Structures are given as structure tokens and as C-alpha cells.
Amino acid sequence: MRPSRSPVSRRRVRLGEILVEAGLLTSAQLEQALAAQHASGDRLGKVLVSRGLTTQEAISKAVASQMGIEYIHVQAIGIPEEVLTALPETLIRRYQVIPLRREGNALVVGMVDPLDVVALDDIRRVVEHDLVPAAITPEGFQHAVNQYPALEGTLDQVIQEIRPSDMGEEEPGLDKLREIVEDAPVVRLVNLMLVQAIRQGASDVHVEPQEKQLRIRYRIDGTLYSVMTAPKHVQAATTSRIKIMANMNIAERRAPQDGRIELRVDNREIDLRVSSIPGVFGEKVVMRILDKRAALVGVDKLGLLGPDLPRFESLVTKPYGIILITGPTGSGKTTSLYAILNRLNKTDVNIITIEDPVEYQLAGINQVQINPKAGLTFATGLRSFLRQDPDIIMVGEIRDEETARIAIHAALTGHLVLSTLHTNDAPGAVARLTDMGVEPFLVSSSVIGVVAQRLVRLLCQNCREAYTPPAEVSVRYGLAGPDDPPPVIYRPKGCDRCNHIGYKGRIGIFEIMMMDDAIRALVVKESSADVLKQSAVAAGMRTLNGDGVAKVLAGVTSLEELLRVVFVE
């Protein structure tokens, strides 16, 4: 093996001496901490931090300075997927060491205890690279482990149990697949993958075949994170196991398929909507995680601030008409619809929904899932609903002219209709309906309001960092007027509570257009969406950008997050 480039001395340097020399401790404080360490049996660093004498970051930086090595803030960097597999999981856990990057033929490894020369010797025996140790904190190590769950639990061991010789050819035949997917290692691999995604709060799991490997990514708070790469030979077994769990056809690999998986994790009922599509390197599978508890939120928890909450309340309490929720996929439309249904769900009203699919089951509400093979579509379901004596009807999505016309007919005959559309803003919903072929006078007569929305990540309130942006930035993005001083706003920093991402959870930003007489007249005249927007703003509508800016000024989210989600003019 090649020698290490490490500047680490073969003599075990004492941590206490380093910290005293660095001025972080006095000799008296060190003696007290050593006595406490002797009594508790804990590591010295933990004792010092628990007694408030220093921080873990300060300890790691002092050690790095003394040893002439780099200190690396793991939470602020991305670790390439191929680097993570450079060390066995057993060594990573035993010595709290994580591979961070390659520099030529050298491997930079982050170590919680870079003074541990025994660890370096063990690692050197299995690595074909020069070693360059760097100092990291225990929190940084845990962040890396959490970020890449291939290092969690036994996933790495499970993958190693699935041997290429067991798989045979890269695309095994159907009989071979049926045999493989029932093997214990494959079953455990998929189960661990799903459980970890659920525990980390992921909304989607992506299983993506690459040319030479299988990549697993989780979407957490709207952002995709690469969490694991597996050898190519486990691809067919993994995707087929998921398809069997979802009651999909494993023999069909050339056409898209959909399925459903029901799980119980940590006493929570979890539904997974599974979708597969054929790709160049194999079938890509995406699983949408639906936590039944997560959707049941009140209207007051959606994120409506200031005047928007009473506007929203007045809209959903109207006795009839159409309320449209608009936004792209993943913008929280379904959550808003269910919040409205929960708000309106009483014993004296008959609520019927038709959805594709029924994502969450709501007590006291009659829910129907479309079934095109049986002739049950949004349009045919709506026709039947009108003979069921409904008070409130929820249509998962208005996709075509027929569904739009039946919904409008229901609204004009005294029913409250809730539905969604895919448009960029609230005024655009009107244009979308007319593009479908619905006459403008019918739109103006039936639609009572449109709510456009997006989801932005919430700043972690434990670690958010205050700063004052440049004056030109404040003016450009509407944070302050030309003659006003720049306001104090916040940006992400990262801590243990938010997994060192800086954000934790999401909240909606909204644009609520109430259909008043002026807007109805403009709709009948087939005015453009821009003209409708101007009229709505004059009547008190706060735009998506305006609501986002209000949340930035309130310290709820960051300016960068707003710009990521909303197009700011």
C-alpha cells in the first residue's frame, strides 16, 4: 500500500494539551474536566462541551490547526456519490470517518478523531489511495450518515449480500426474477429504503437506473437529495421487488405502470403511489409517500398571513360556485383542498369527491376514485354525483372541456365545487378554462374565486441567521422602497435540529383572486390575464411574489428560497 501523506505524528497527542495550548481552556478547567471524565467514562470532548467550556467545532478546529490538517464543515459541502463507496461501512461506523473527496490519487477522509493513528492504519490497509485526514465534528459525521442512508443501519451489508452471481445476466428472465425478488436480502433492501425515507420526512423516493449503477434519491421539503448508489446488478431485483409490492406487472418493462403500496411504519399508516417508466438504462420508479396524518391540517396551518386568511375564509364559506386551486405539481394543492373539506365537513352537508387517486381517506366524506377502464372518469362521475343530492363536490382536477362544463353546471345549480388546475397564477385559470372551450360568460357566472399557491421551505427558527441585504437587492425584489433603508432578513445556516440544511418544513405562499363585478366584466370581454391581474391587485389581491416577500420580511423563509420557487418580476 502507498504511504499516507498525513502529517499526523505516530505519537498519540493529548487533546487536553492541544486545547490548553490553543487558549480554549485553562489548566484548571482541564483538570476539572479530566476528573469529570474519569467519573463518567465519557470522552473528554463530550465532557467539555456538556460543561459549556467550549464547542465541538472549536475543538475540531484547534486539533486541525495543531496537526496542520484541514478542518471541513461537512454540512456545507456535497459529497460525490462515487467517493462515499471508497470505504466499507464497518470502518466508517467504527472510527467515525467519512470519505469526503479525491485529490488526484489521494483520498481526503473526515475524522471525528484525527488523532487516532490506529484508525488511519486500519483504513490504509483497505484503501488503494494516499490518505489525507481532515478534522470534522461528530455532528458533521452524523449529517453525512443521515444525508446518505447507504451508511445507515445495514443497507451496505444487505447490498453486499446480493451477489452478481445470484443475478445471472443483467436483465434476468421472468422466472429468475420471481425467484430473486423473494430473497431475504432484496426484501430487506427495499424495506430499509422505504422506512428510512419515511423517517427522514421524504415525500418521494426515486429509484433511477444509471449506466453503471443504481441511484436512489429522496425528495425532502421539495428538494432532491442523492442518498445511495448501488451496484448495477441489484437494479432488476430492486425495481421488480417494488413492482410486486405495488401489484404491478413485472413482466412488462416497456410501458409505464402505476401501483400502490400500503405500509405501517412507527404506528403510522403510509400509502405509497408507485409509478414506473421505461428508460434507456432500465425502469425508473418513483414512489410518492402519502402520510395520512400530514394532510389533515386546518386552514389556519396552510400559511395564510394578514388579509389572505379572512379572504380565504369568506371564499370557502360561499354556498355555491366554483373555487379553483392552481399551481404546478407538488405545490400543495391537494393539502389545501383537504383543509377546505375538513373546514366544511359537517353532519348537515353531503360532500362527495372524485379523485385520481384518493390520496387520503377523510371520515364522513364520500370519496370516489376514477376508474377509466370501468368508464368512471371525472366527467362521468360528476354526472352521477348530481343525482346523489350533494351540497359540496370536489373534483381532483379539471382536465378537459367536458369535465369543466359539468362542474360549471353543478355550480350554477346551487352546488359548491372545489377543483384544481395547472396554471402559473390565479388570473391564468380563467384563460385556461376558455382555452378548453368554455364560453367566457359561463366562467364569469360560475367561478367565485381562484387560489394560486406554491410551497417554500421554512427557515429553521433555531439557527436562522439575520443579515441586511444590499440596497439594490432590497429595491429590486420589493423588500423596501427606493428611499427606505434595507430591512433585516434571514438566511439559512444549519444546526442539528434541521439536519444542518438550514430549512425544516414547508409553508404555502398564496395569491387569492376574488371574482368581483369588475373582474367578471373583464372575463366576459375576454380580457388578457395581465388585465385581470391588474384589476385583482387593485381590488386587494396580494400576488404570489407579494405574499412571498411578506414571509421573507417576517423571517419565515429566505429570499433565495422565494426566488427559487417564484418568478419575481
Side-chain angles (χ1 to χ4, degrees), residues 65-328:
S65 176
Q66 175 73 20
M67 298 177 63
I69 63 176
E70 183 182 6
Y71 166 77
I72 295 178
H73 184 58
V74 177
Q75 296 90 325
I77 66 172
I79 305 175
E81 297 172 19
E82 66 275 8
V83 173
L84 282 169
T85 58
L87 292 182
E89 185 264 346
T90 51
L91 288 181
I92 287 173
R93 287 198 157 277
R94 183 186 306 159
Y95 296 122
Q96 289 191 297
V97 57
I98 198 85
L100 299 175
R101 66 175 185 267
R102 286 195 172 97
E103 292 181 349
N105 193 46
L107 181 68
V108 178
V109 292
M111 303 181 68
V112 172
D113 184 7
L115 301 171
D116 190 348
V117 293
V118 174
L120 284 170
D121 286 341
D122 278 2
I123 296 168
R124 194 177 298 114
R125 292 191 184 98
V126 299
V127 175
E128 293 288 340
H129 303 276
D130 294 344
L131 285 182
V132 181
I136 63 174
T137 63
E139 294 79 13
F141 172 80
Q142 192 59 48
H143 170 78
V145 170
N146 291 340
Q147 193 79 355
Y148 300 90
L151 306 177
E152 280 279 6
T154 58
L155 270 177
D156 189 58
Q157 297 170 5
V158 171
I159 291 173
Q160 292 178 17
E161 291 177 29
I162 307 173
R163 299 185 300 270
S165 58
D166 295 334
M167 299 300 301
E169 61 272 21
E170 185 172 303
E171 287 292 339
L174 185 59
D175 292 338
K176 181 68 173 177
L177 263 182
R178 292 188 189 278
E179 175 187 339
I180 293 168
V181 297
E182 297 301 329
D183 285 349
V186 175
V187 173
R188 295 208 313 274
L189 174 63
V190 174
N191 288 347
L192 279 171
M193 180 198 311
L194 296 178
V195 169
Q196 288 173 345
I198 291 164
R199 287 176 176 169
Q200 291 191 18
S203 61
D204 300 86
V205 178
H206 292 240
V207 182
E208 302 171 317
Q210 309 287 297
E211 183 177 5
K212 297 180 180 179
Q213 60 192 12
L214 181 68
R215 179 172 70 174
I216 310 298
R217 293 195 290 176
Y218 295 166
R219 186 178 296 278
I220 301 173
D221 288 339
T223 302
L224 275 172
Y225 296 93
S226 182
V227 296
M228 186 178 92
T229 55
K232 187 71 174 177
H233 68 263
V234 308
Q235 173 182 312
T238 302
T239 55
S240 296
R241 173 62 188 171
I242 294 170
K243 289 172 70 175
I244 283 180
M245 292 173 68
N247 292 318
M248 297 159 67
N249 183 3
I250 65 169
E252 178 57 76
R253 306 175 190 172
R254 298 171 297 174
Q257 294 187 63
D258 295 304
R260 176 181 176 182
I261 300 173
E262 293 185 351
L263 295 176
R264 187 174 182 85
V265 178
D266 299 333
N267 292 320
R268 294 154 56 193
E269 297 290 340
I270 305 292
D271 280 348
L272 292 96
R273 305 298 178 181
V274 184
S275 170
S276 71
I277 59 172
V280 175
F281 302 115
E283 284 184 286
K284 180 185 190 301
V285 177
V286 175
M287 291 171 280
R288 167 65 58 88
I289 299 173
L290 304 174
D291 185 346
K292 295 179 180 180
R293 297 186 311 182
L296 304 180
V297 300
V299 168
D300 59 326
K301 298 293 193 299
L302 294 176
L304 294 154
L305 299 180
D308 281 345
L309 182 57
R311 285 166 65 88
F312 191 87
E313 286 278 2
S314 68
L315 188 61
V316 302
T317 52
K318 293 286 193 294
Y320 56 86
I322 297 179
I323 301 173
L324 295 172
I325 312 290
T326 76

